[in-house]
């Protein structure tokens, strides 16, 4: 069998990976699904040499107290490559005692960091952002291998993360450099005998838990606001995505942040997950993920929570919508990164009169999607795990049994699921309500706008939604009626740009993200009141 191998050379001005190709005969598919080998030549990115200090043989170390360490447990957690379904990386299985030590050093480091001038905090964040962009190659490679993210998208995530850190540094200086001055005589019955000064102070130790699908970007969206605000940060990365996070943390390490200020502990959630989230040393939790967040919120106690827990983002399409625009956004919103996005279009609610035309347009675009390994920058790559693929298949089987129209043949090879549009989906089908987190999209035909709004609001999720119409008045009215944290008009749901507010309601989350909102959330108000012996009036 002929197979292409490639060596990673450089990234051009646009951040695109460049390869040199060599063809040779190989025997067997080395764990790559057979359909890949039949239809594609597999590009293999040669492993970028990781800094030796973060590796111990074949296993990555965890990061604590400014050092890279092996766990005393002697155990390792394997990370499965979604494409080959074989172990690709190993990380430390940290113990509860090691978590305790991390919390102790984080508390000590935070006290000193809170006294660090704002400009100095910002300076270090800018330095980390620059290093992050310089080291985008090994981080991007990890994203390709750990979570099957297409190579070009992996590079984009790292560059975007660097931009987020820099923006956060600038925004933090502005937000935290200002306070308020209040006077007592603005409230009835008071003379001007009290001056009130308010400022924002750090919470303490922030626990950050990002998800597998954007492990780097959603980690720095928590790390940067926490640090600029004067907090210390403990990062618990997802298993799939842990190595990418460790490479990212290494960039902060190289930037020269104080020892103990940033920690990254790896391990099984079943062993240290609850221990971390219920730890008395934690003063704030920022979590992005699924149902686990609901359990965390019930156990965390009286500390601030910032949570984004998924969505069933509805796309409501009216009769007057530009169907070409709608179709393009359904493809972008529903199938990019194989639908493994909280803000992916998860259900299309289209008026019956234009449903046939829209489905036809979407099907033509689905047929053009490329399917294969992430190294080839395929549009559709393997979903993150076999359990995820099995869950998606369960939704598909249920829909078939209940009479949904399959616009494409359902096809699966290992963790790879071909894109599938399901038409004539009814509310009694699981796919109408559950979040597949895969390249399967249901279409529900509606006869009125009210029917579409009702379906959207009947969901236990409320992250985002979108409305397509040329009538801005209708769009505003429908958007206001939709019970979601964000409504996009004439565009697919999206989290960015990263400084925009991002929030969900119901089971989609608590609090609001976005750089400014995160900085504010990771601080609290401190008030100082000056009591005067007599009323004092400026220029009085």
């Amino acid at each position: 069998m002929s197979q292409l191998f490639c060596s990673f050379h450089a990234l051009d001005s646009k951040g695109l990976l460049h390869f040199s190709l060599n063809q040779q005969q190989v025997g067997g598919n080395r764990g790559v699904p057979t359909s890949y080998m039949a239809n594609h030549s597999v590009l293999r990115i040669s492993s970028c040499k990781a800094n030796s200090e973060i590796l111990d043989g074949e296993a990555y170390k965890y990061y604590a107290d400014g050092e890279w360490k092996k766990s005393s447990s002697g155990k390792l957690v394997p990370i499965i490559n979604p494409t080959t379904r074989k172990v690709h990386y190993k990380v430390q299985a940290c113990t509860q005692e090691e978590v305790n030590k991390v919390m102790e050093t984080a508390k000590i480091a935070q006290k000193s960091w809170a006294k660090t001038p704002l400009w100095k905090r910002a300076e270090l964040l800018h330095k980390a952002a620059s290093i992050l962009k310089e080291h985008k190659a090994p981080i991007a490679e990890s994203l390709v291998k750990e979570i099957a993210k297409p190579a070009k998208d992996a590079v984009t995530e790292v560059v975007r993360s660097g931009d987020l850190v820099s923006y956060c540094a600038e925004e933090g200086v502005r937000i935290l450099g200002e306070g308020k001055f209040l006077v007592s005589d603005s409230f009835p019955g008071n003379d001007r005998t009290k001056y009130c000064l308010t400022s924002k102070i750090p919470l303490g130790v922030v626990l950050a838990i990002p998800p597998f699908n954007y492990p780097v970007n959603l980690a720095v969206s928590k790390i940067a606001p926490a640090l600029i605000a004067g907090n210390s940060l403990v990062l618990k990365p997802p298993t799939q995505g842990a190595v990418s996070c460790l490479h990212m943390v290494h960039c902060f390490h190289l930037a020269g942040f104080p020892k103990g200020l940033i920690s990254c502990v790896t391990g099984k959630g079943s062993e240290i997950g609850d221990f971390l989230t219920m730890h008395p040393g934690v003063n704030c939790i920022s979590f992005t993920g699924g149902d686990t967040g609901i359990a965390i919120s019930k156990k965390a106690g009286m500390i601030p929570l910032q949570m984004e827990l998924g969505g069933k983002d509805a796309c409501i399409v009216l009769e007057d919508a530009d169907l070409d625009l709608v179709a393009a956004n359904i493809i972008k919103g529903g199938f990019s990164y194989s639908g493994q996005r909280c803000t992916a279009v998860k259900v299309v609610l289209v008026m019956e009169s234009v449903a046939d035309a829209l489905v036809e347009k979407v099907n033509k675009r689905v047929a053009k999607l490329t399917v294969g390994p992430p190294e080839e920058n395929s549009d559709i790559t393997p979903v993150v795990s076999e359990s995820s693929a099995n869950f998606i298949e369960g939704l598909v089987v249920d829909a078939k049994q209940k009479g949904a129209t399959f616009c494409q043949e359902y096809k699966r090879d290992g963790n790879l699921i071909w894109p599938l549009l399901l038409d004539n989906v009814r509310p009694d089908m699981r796919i109408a309500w559950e979040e597949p987190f895969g390249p399967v999209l249901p279409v529900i035909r509606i006869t009125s706008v009210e029917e579409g709004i009702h379906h959207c609001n009947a969901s236990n999720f409320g992250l985002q939604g979108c409305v397509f119409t040329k009538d801005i008045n209708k769009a505003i009215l429908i958007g206001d009626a939709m019970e979601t944290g964000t409504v996009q008009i004439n565009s697919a749901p999206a989290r960015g740009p990263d400084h925009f507010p991002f929030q969900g309601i119901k089971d989609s989350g608590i609090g609001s993200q976005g750089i400014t909102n995160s900085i504010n959330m990771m601080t609290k108000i401190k008030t100082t009141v000056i009591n005067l012996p007599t009323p004092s009036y400026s220029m009085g």
Side-chain angles (χ1 to χ4, degrees):
M1 180 176 290
S2 180
Q3 184 170 338
L4 288 177
F5 287 82
C6 76
S7 297
F8 171 82
H9 282 296
L11 297 118
D12 65 16
S13 60
K14 296 181 180 179
L16 297 178
L17 291 167
H18 285 265
F19 310 94
S20 64
L21 304 179
N22 295 292
Q23 190 173 39
Q24 69 180 67
Q25 296 294 317
V26 296
N29 61 24
R30 301 184 184 273
V32 178
T34 53
S35 61
Y36 292 179
M37 305 304 295
N39 300 311
H40 301 281
S41 295
V42 179
L43 295 179
R44 296 181 182 270
I45 305 176
S46 64
S47 296
C48 299
K49 188 176 181 180
N51 192 299
S52 59
E53 66 180 332
I54 72 173
L55 268 174
D56 175 55
E58 62 177 355
Y60 281 82
K61 302 176 185 178
Y62 77 100
Y63 185 67
D65 201 19
E67 299 177 359
W68 296 93
K69 303 181 177 184
K70 293 169 58 179
S71 173
S72 61
S73 72
K75 298 178 182 178
L76 300 175
V77 179
I79 297 175
I80 308 298
N81 184 321
T83 304
T84 64
R85 291 185 289 163
K86 294 184 177 181
V87 175
H88 199 97
Y89 299 117
K90 294 178 182 178
V91 295
Q92 305 296 315
C94 293
T95 66
Q96 293 184 359
E97 181 56 36
E98 285 163 342
V99 169
N100 281 333
K101 291 180 181 178
V102 161
M103 292 298 174
E104 289 173 10
T105 56
K107 185 175 182 179
I108 294 170
Q110 189 275 324
K111 295 298 183 183
S112 177
W113 180 246
K115 299 175 184 178
T116 303
L118 261 177
W119 67 264
K120 183 64 175 178
R121 296 182 209 164
E123 186 178 77
L124 285 171
L125 283 172
H126 280 303
K127 188 175 180 181
S130 177
I131 296 172
L132 190 62
K133 291 182 180 181
E134 291 172 4
H135 289 67
K136 56 182 174 276
I139 303 174
E141 181 185 354
S142 299
L143 291 169
V144 170
K145 301 302 184 185
E146 287 186 289
I147 62 171
K149 180 160 287 189
K152 66 179 187 303
D153 295 337
V155 173
T156 299
E157 178 175 344
V158 181
V159 174
R160 172 186 178 183
S161 299
D163 291 338
L164 189 158
V165 174
S166 289
Y167 191 104
C168 189
E170 294 294 322
E171 191 73 354
V173 168
R174 288 190 287 268
I175 294 172
L176 300 168
E178 295 181 350
K180 283 188 178 181
F181 174 66
L182 303 174
V183 293
S184 54
D185 67 325
S186 59
F187 194 86
N190 288 273
D191 291 325
R192 189 172 293 207
T193 56
K194 294 175 182 288
Y195 287 166
C196 178
L197 307 176
T198 68
S199 60
K200 291 182 172 67
I201 63 171
L203 296 174
V205 179
V206 175
L207 173 62
I209 307 175
F212 81 83
N213 56 348
Y214 290 88
V216 175
N217 184 252
L218 286 174
V220 300
S221 74
K222 307 172 190 303
I223 295 171
L227 295 181
I228 193 65
N231 300 290
S232 58
L233 191 288
V234 176
L235 176 67
K236 169 58 178 76
T239 298
Q240 303 290 138
V243 171
S244 305
C245 281
L246 289 166
H247 277 295
M248 176 270 297
V249 168
H250 187 233
C251 295
F252 281 82
H253 169 75
L254 294 175
F257 282 87
K259 289 186 176 182
L261 187 67
I262 305 169
S263 304
C264 184
V265 292
T266 55
K268 295 182 178 180
S270 59
E271 296 178 3
I272 62 172
D274 281 352
F275 191 75
L276 274 165
T277 57
M278 298 173 68
H279 200 284
V282 173
N283 303 114
C284 171
I285 299 176
S286 181
F287 174 91
T288 304
D291 294 343
T292 302
I294 296 176
I296 291 173
S297 68
K298 294 177 180 178
K299 300 173 183 176
M302 291 182 61
I303 62 172
L305 300 176
Q306 182 187 54
M307 295 196 166
E308 189 265 286
L309 310 180
K312 185 68 176 177
D313 298 4
C315 173
I316 299 179
V317 184
L318 274 58
E319 296 97 332
D320 67 339
D322 180 339
L323 297 185
D324 288 319
L325 176 67
V326 177
N329 275 274
I330 286 175
I331 293 296
K332 174 185 175 183
F335 295 103
S336 62
Y337 188 40
S338 304
Q340 296 178 110
R341 297 164 46 248
C342 296
T343 54
V345 172
K346 305 283 175 54
V347 58
V348 177
L349 304 164
V350 57
M351 295 295 287
E352 179 69 55
S353 60
V354 295
D356 286 343
L358 178 62
V359 168
E360 181 181 358
K361 288 179 180 293
V362 173
N363 280 332
K364 288 181 179 179
R365 292 175 181 265
V366 169
K368 296 178 181 178
L369 293 174
T370 57
V371 181
E375 291 86 349
E376 290 186 354
N377 281 318
S378 304
D379 296 316
I380 305 296
T381 58
V383 296
V384 70
S385 66
E386 184 176 358
S387 61
S388 294
N390 291 341
F391 175 77
I392 296 165
E393 184 165 299
L395 298 179
V396 172
V397 170
D398 176 79
K400 187 173 187 65
Q401 292 173 344
K402 294 175 180 175
T405 301
F406 280 53
C407 297
Q408 295 80 28
E409 176 188 0
Y410 173 67
K411 189 176 179 183
R412 173 184 172 185
D413 191 345
N415 294 348
L416 184 67
I417 295 177
W418 271 249
L420 175 63
L421 189 71
L422 297 175
D423 194 8
N424 297 302
V425 169
R426 300 190 314 271
D428 65 327
M429 300 177 187
R430 290 175 56 199
I431 192 71
W433 304 105
E434 297 182 42
E435 184 181 23
F437 236 63
V440 178
L441 182 61
V443 176
I444 297 177
R445 297 174 177 232
I446 57 176
T447 57
S448 68
V449 169
E450 291 73 21
E451 184 181 350
I453 294 173
H454 173 75
H455 185 93
C456 171
N457 293 349
S459 173
N460 61 309
F461 292 111
L463 187 60
Q464 288 203 9
C466 57
V467 183
F468 285 87
T469 175
K470 295 175 183 175
D471 188 331
I472 189 61
N473 295 325
K474 287 183 180 179
I476 294 296
L477 290 171
I478 295 169
D480 285 349
M482 295 172 72
E483 296 174 358
T484 60
T486 301
V487 175
Q488 303 272 352
I489 297 175
N490 291 326
S491 182
R495 185 170 66 89
D498 288 320
H499 66 302
F500 279 17
F502 180 56
Q503 57 283 315
I505 60 175
K506 298 186 282 189
D507 286 354
S508 284
I510 300 171
S512 180
Q513 300 180 60
I515 290 171
T516 299
N517 288 346
S518 292
I519 292 172
N520 286 329
M521 180 263 172
M522 293 179 183
T523 58
K524 55 187 173 184
I525 299 297
K526 177 67 177 288
T527 299
T528 300
V529 178
I530 302 170
N531 292 275
L532 302 175
T534 59
S536 178
Y537 293 88
S538 300
M539 306 298 289

